[in-house]
Structures are given as C-alpha cells and as structure tokens.
Amino acid sequence: MSRPGTRFGLGARRRASAVCAAATALLLLAGCGGGGAAGADTSSRPRQEVSQPPSPSGAGARRIPGVGERLHAEIPESARQVVAVHGAGKDSEDATVALYTRRGETWTRERRWPAHNGKRGWTPDHREDDKRSPVGVFTLSDAGGVLPDPGAKLPYTRSAAFAAPRHWPERYRHDFDYVIAIDYNRVRGTPPNDPTRPLGREKGGGIWLHMDHGSGTSGCVSLSRAAMEYLLRTLDPAQHPVIVMGDRQSLAS
C-alpha cells in the first residue's frame, strides 16, 4: 500500500494548491494523459461499453476474483469498496475495471467496464515517462476535473487547469473532464493535480482514473464518461475505497 501522505489542513492545502495548479498543469498532464505531442497515438479504437449489475461470478466471494493472496493482503481491513483493474497482459494497453463492495466477509461485483491502461502495459517499478501503469494497491482519496461536480462523494476540485493542451489531438481533449486520483506518489487530501511527489519525480506521478480516448495512456487508467460518473457518485470516503491494479498475471501472483 502506498501511503506517502496524510490529510492535513485540507481547506488551506486546497487553496494553496489552486494557486500553483495552472503553472504545473502541462507537466502533470504529460505524466497522465497519453496524448502529448511526442509519440501521441492518433489511432482510434472505440470499444463497446459494458456496464453490468452484480452477477453470480462476483457475488458472495471471500476474495476478489483474480486477485491473489499477496495483493489481497494489502487491501486494508477498513476498505469496503475496491476498484479492481485487470490488465489483459503485461505489455497490453487493454483492461477491464470492476467495482466490488464488501458486505460482511464477502465481496460483490457491482459494475464492470472496458478500460485502458498504460500504452506499454504494467510495471511493479513505475518510473516517470515509462508509459506503464504501476502494479499495486492504492487508496482513492480525491477527485476533480474540468466539468462541474457530478455529485461526487470524494472531495472534488473543479478547475480549468485540468484541461488537456489544445495542441493535443481532438480525441484526447476531454480526458480530464473527470479524474479520480490514484494515491501513487502523491499527497492525499490535495487536488489530483497537486504537483507534490513524496517519492521524487523519477518515480512518476499524476496517475489517475480518467475519461477514455480509445487507446492506451501514459500510465493512468481510462474509462467511459458513464463509468467515471458512476464511480464519482459511488466511491465514498466513509467506505475507505482502494484500487487494486495490474496485469492479470501480477494480480494473481
């Protein structure tokens, strides 16, 4: 579990972060969006949306399907909501995201969607600009985006500073309309675009859940707008939500 930061002076911290947000926006977006001018993938690969209610395969399980003992042990006892990201392969950009809710000792799958991860796949040792998503279990504490708050339960920061650069291909420009920060190398309790990197810049950062453009990212996990809205309205700080993410082999190990 990555725990580089703690929640402190939330109101003051958010005001201070807002001051530097515009100045750091381009740097942070380059670490997350996958649509920068250098090496941008301009192919279009639309994927069919799959949003499913609870099913027998996800109901009543004592462990989240596909997640092995090692990573399951990193899920805090207090967590009652888990976003599980199952990458198709170590070097694949394709993934499936599912939301699980814990009731008593069992986990029930609430929804499932197609998604994308880093365009080069996954790594247990994420580095800046490696274009791979980090494998692990991380808390989910803060959200934001260009668009108004859709009814998020997580603290939500609306700011034009989230907007993707106008020189990016058009299909990337709405990537950050909604984002949920994945607490990898960041300070919890701050807006997702806060630039602080407790582990150092070389370890990367700006790893988010955000809206999908049809192909891999620079390290984030991307989903449809409908999926992002559902997660924003459902993930509840009182339920201590976390994300467990990785390629299928790494998750199962």
Side-chain angles (χ1 to χ4, degrees):
M1 174 68 68
S2 176
R3 299 184 179 88
T6 57
R7 190 175 293 270
F8 60 92
L10 182 56
R13 183 71 188 186
R14 287 195 181 278
R15 289 192 295 272
S17 297
V19 173
C20 67
T24 60
L26 289 180
L27 177 63
L28 294 174
L29 295 179
C32 185
D41 176 4
T42 57
S43 64
S44 180
R45 297 173 52 202
R47 303 179 71 199
Q48 184 177 2
E49 174 70 7
V50 179
S51 179
Q52 300 180 353
S55 70
S57 63
R62 288 188 171 265
R63 199 157 73 187
I64 295 170
V67 178
E69 183 176 349
R70 178 179 62 86
L71 286 178
H72 224 286
E74 295 187 26
I75 298 174
E77 181 64 28
S78 61
R80 292 294 181 270
Q81 292 177 322
V82 168
V83 177
V85 184
H86 296 266
K90 179 183 177 182
D91 300 318
S92 173
E93 65 182 25
D94 296 322
T96 299
V97 170
L99 175 64
Y100 288 87
T101 299
R102 184 177 179 179
R103 298 179 178 89
E105 296 300 319
T106 62
W107 293 94
T108 299
R109 192 181 73 209
E110 305 291 347
R111 291 290 189 274
R112 184 176 64 186
W113 307 272
H116 289 99
N117 50 260
K119 62 181 64 177
R120 293 180 182 170
W122 296 89
T123 178
D125 185 24
H126 176 67
R127 298 285 172 170
E128 185 79 2
D129 296 328
D130 66 7
K131 302 298 187 290
R132 291 181 180 270
S133 298
V135 175
V137 178
F138 310 98
T139 51
L140 299 170
S141 306
D142 304 278
V146 176
L147 296 180
D149 185 347
K153 294 181 179 180
L154 295 172
Y156 187 95
T157 301
R158 183 191 184 190
S159 174
F162 285 100
R166 296 299 296 174
H167 66 269
W168 283 12
E170 184 175 358
R171 69 191 184 92
Y172 294 95
R173 293 179 188 167
H174 295 283
D175 281 14
F176 313 123
D177 282 358
Y178 292 129
V179 307
I180 299 172
I182 295 171
D183 292 337
Y184 169 85
N185 197 19
R186 69 178 300 270
V187 178
R188 289 178 284 178
T190 64
N193 58 353
D194 182 277
T196 307
R197 300 287 179 262
L199 303 178
R201 298 216 64 85
E202 69 278 3
K203 288 294 291 179
I207 305 297
W208 300 341
L209 292 164
H210 67 67
M211 285 171 49
D212 190 60
H213 55 249
S215 62
T217 72
S218 288
C220 296
V221 174
S222 60
L223 305 96
S224 70
R225 175 170 178 163
M228 286 299 298
E229 288 178 341
Y230 183 88
L231 289 173
L232 284 164
R233 293 168 180 159
T234 304
L235 294 176
D236 185 349
Q239 302 302 313
H240 307 285
V242 302
I243 186 168
V244 54
M245 52 194 283
D247 59 279
R248 294 187 184 279
Q249 182 176 353
S250 296
L251 287 180
S253 65

PDB file of all heavy atoms in Angstrom, residues 5 17 35 84-85 104 182 191-192 194 219 221 233:
ATOM      1  N   GLY A   5       1.443  10.200   1.969  1.00  0.00           N
ATOM      2  CA  GLY A   5       0.957  11.459   2.509  1.00  0.00           C
ATOM      3  C   GLY A   5      -0.169  11.266   3.477  1.00  0.00           C
ATOM      4  O   GLY A   5      -0.762  10.209   3.570  1.00  0.00           O
ATOM      5  N   SER A  17      -2.907  24.834  -3.266  1.00  0.00           N
ATOM      6  CA  SER A  17      -2.692  24.037  -4.464  1.00  0.00           C
ATOM      7  C   SER A  17      -3.286  24.715  -5.685  1.00  0.00           C
ATOM      8  O   SER A  17      -2.750  24.625  -6.792  1.00  0.00           O
ATOM      9  CB  SER A  17      -3.320  22.654  -4.299  1.00  0.00           C
ATOM     10  OG  SER A  17      -2.695  21.970  -3.249  1.00  0.00           O
ATOM     11  N   GLY A  35      -1.570  11.670 -24.400  1.00  0.00           N
ATOM     12  CA  GLY A  35      -1.876  12.351 -25.648  1.00  0.00           C
ATOM     13  C   GLY A  35      -0.940  13.470 -25.947  1.00  0.00           C
ATOM     14  O   GLY A  35      -1.289  14.384 -26.678  1.00  0.00           O
ATOM     15  N   ALA A  84     -11.150  -2.824  -9.026  1.00  0.00           N
ATOM     16  CA  ALA A  84     -10.181  -3.821  -9.490  1.00  0.00           C
ATOM     17  C   ALA A  84      -9.925  -3.608 -10.974  1.00  0.00           C
ATOM     18  O   ALA A  84     -10.858  -3.628 -11.784  1.00  0.00           O
ATOM     19  CB  ALA A  84     -10.695  -5.234  -9.237  1.00  0.00           C
ATOM     20  N   VAL A  85      -8.657  -3.377 -11.324  1.00  0.00           N
ATOM     21  CA  VAL A  85      -8.263  -3.179 -12.717  1.00  0.00           C
ATOM     22  C   VAL A  85      -7.472  -4.397 -13.161  1.00  0.00           C
ATOM     23  O   VAL A  85      -6.369  -4.651 -12.674  1.00  0.00           O
ATOM     24  CB  VAL A  85      -7.409  -1.903 -12.886  1.00  0.00           C
ATOM     25  CG1 VAL A  85      -7.110  -1.672 -14.368  1.00  0.00           C
ATOM     26  CG2 VAL A  85      -8.110  -0.694 -12.278  1.00  0.00           C
ATOM     27  N   GLY A 104     -20.012  -7.667   5.004  1.00  0.00           N
ATOM     28  CA  GLY A 104     -19.568  -8.705   5.912  1.00  0.00           C
ATOM     29  C   GLY A 104     -18.209  -9.217   5.492  1.00  0.00           C
ATOM     30  O   GLY A 104     -17.263  -8.454   5.365  1.00  0.00           O
ATOM     31  N   ILE A 182      -5.326   8.393  -8.156  1.00  0.00           N
ATOM     32  CA  ILE A 182      -4.840   7.147  -7.570  1.00  0.00           C
ATOM     33  C   ILE A 182      -3.661   7.521  -6.683  1.00  0.00           C
ATOM     34  O   ILE A 182      -2.721   8.178  -7.138  1.00  0.00           O
ATOM     35  CB  ILE A 182      -4.419   6.156  -8.673  1.00  0.00           C
ATOM     36  CG1 ILE A 182      -5.652   5.750  -9.500  1.00  0.00           C
ATOM     37  CG2 ILE A 182      -3.747   4.919  -8.076  1.00  0.00           C
ATOM     38  CD1 ILE A 182      -5.325   4.943 -10.742  1.00  0.00           C
ATOM     39  N   PRO A 191      -5.865  18.330  -4.272  1.00  0.00           N
ATOM     40  CA  PRO A 191      -6.452  18.096  -5.596  1.00  0.00           C
ATOM     41  C   PRO A 191      -5.590  17.128  -6.406  1.00  0.00           C
ATOM     42  O   PRO A 191      -4.366  17.057  -6.210  1.00  0.00           O
ATOM     43  CB  PRO A 191      -6.463  19.497  -6.230  1.00  0.00           C
ATOM     44  CG  PRO A 191      -6.455  20.440  -5.071  1.00  0.00           C
ATOM     45  CD  PRO A 191      -5.639  19.762  -4.012  1.00  0.00           C
ATOM     46  N   PRO A 192      -6.195  16.397  -7.341  1.00  0.00           N
ATOM     47  CA  PRO A 192      -5.420  15.433  -8.129  1.00  0.00           C
ATOM     48  C   PRO A 192      -4.227  16.041  -8.860  1.00  0.00           C
ATOM     49  O   PRO A 192      -3.235  15.348  -9.089  1.00  0.00           O
ATOM     50  CB  PRO A 192      -6.458  14.887  -9.123  1.00  0.00           C
ATOM     51  CG  PRO A 192      -7.751  15.003  -8.390  1.00  0.00           C
ATOM     52  CD  PRO A 192      -7.643  16.290  -7.615  1.00  0.00           C
ATOM     53  N   ASP A 194      -2.226  18.385  -7.780  1.00  0.00           N
ATOM     54  CA  ASP A 194      -1.175  18.896  -6.900  1.00  0.00           C
ATOM     55  C   ASP A 194       0.162  18.291  -7.343  1.00  0.00           C
ATOM     56  O   ASP A 194       0.254  17.075  -7.568  1.00  0.00           O
ATOM     57  CB  ASP A 194      -1.472  18.515  -5.450  1.00  0.00           C
ATOM     58  CG  ASP A 194      -0.434  19.074  -4.482  1.00  0.00           C
ATOM     59  OD1 ASP A 194       0.627  18.434  -4.327  1.00  0.00           O
ATOM     60  OD2 ASP A 194      -0.678  20.138  -3.903  1.00  0.00           O
ATOM     61  N   GLY A 219       0.074   6.056 -18.344  1.00  0.00           N
ATOM     62  CA  GLY A 219       0.207   5.381 -17.053  1.00  0.00           C
ATOM     63  C   GLY A 219      -1.080   5.335 -16.266  1.00  0.00           C
ATOM     64  O   GLY A 219      -1.205   4.579 -15.306  1.00  0.00           O
ATOM     65  N   VAL A 221      -5.412   4.947 -15.833  1.00  0.00           N
ATOM     66  CA  VAL A 221      -6.448   4.006 -16.238  1.00  0.00           C
ATOM     67  C   VAL A 221      -7.622   4.838 -16.739  1.00  0.00           C
ATOM     68  O   VAL A 221      -8.068   5.757 -16.056  1.00  0.00           O
ATOM     69  CB  VAL A 221      -6.881   3.100 -15.076  1.00  0.00           C
ATOM     70  CG1 VAL A 221      -8.059   2.219 -15.488  1.00  0.00           C
ATOM     71  CG2 VAL A 221      -5.715   2.249 -14.601  1.00  0.00           C
ATOM     72  N   ARG A 233     -19.920   9.131  -8.216  1.00  0.00           N
ATOM     73  CA  ARG A 233     -21.122   9.202  -7.378  1.00  0.00           C
ATOM     74  C   ARG A 233     -21.208   8.064  -6.368  1.00  0.00           C
ATOM     75  O   ARG A 233     -22.026   8.116  -5.445  1.00  0.00           O
ATOM     76  CB  ARG A 233     -22.370   9.174  -8.273  1.00  0.00           C
ATOM     77  CG  ARG A 233     -22.519  10.422  -9.130  1.00  0.00           C
ATOM     78  CD  ARG A 233     -23.570  10.238 -10.200  1.00  0.00           C
ATOM     79  NE  ARG A 233     -23.713  11.440 -11.021  1.00  0.00           N
ATOM     80  CZ  ARG A 233     -24.244  11.466 -12.239  1.00  0.00           C
ATOM     81  NH1 ARG A 233     -24.684  10.325 -12.780  1.00  0.00           N
ATOM     82  NH2 ARG A 233     -24.319  12.594 -12.914  1.00  0.00           N
TER      83      ARG A 233
END
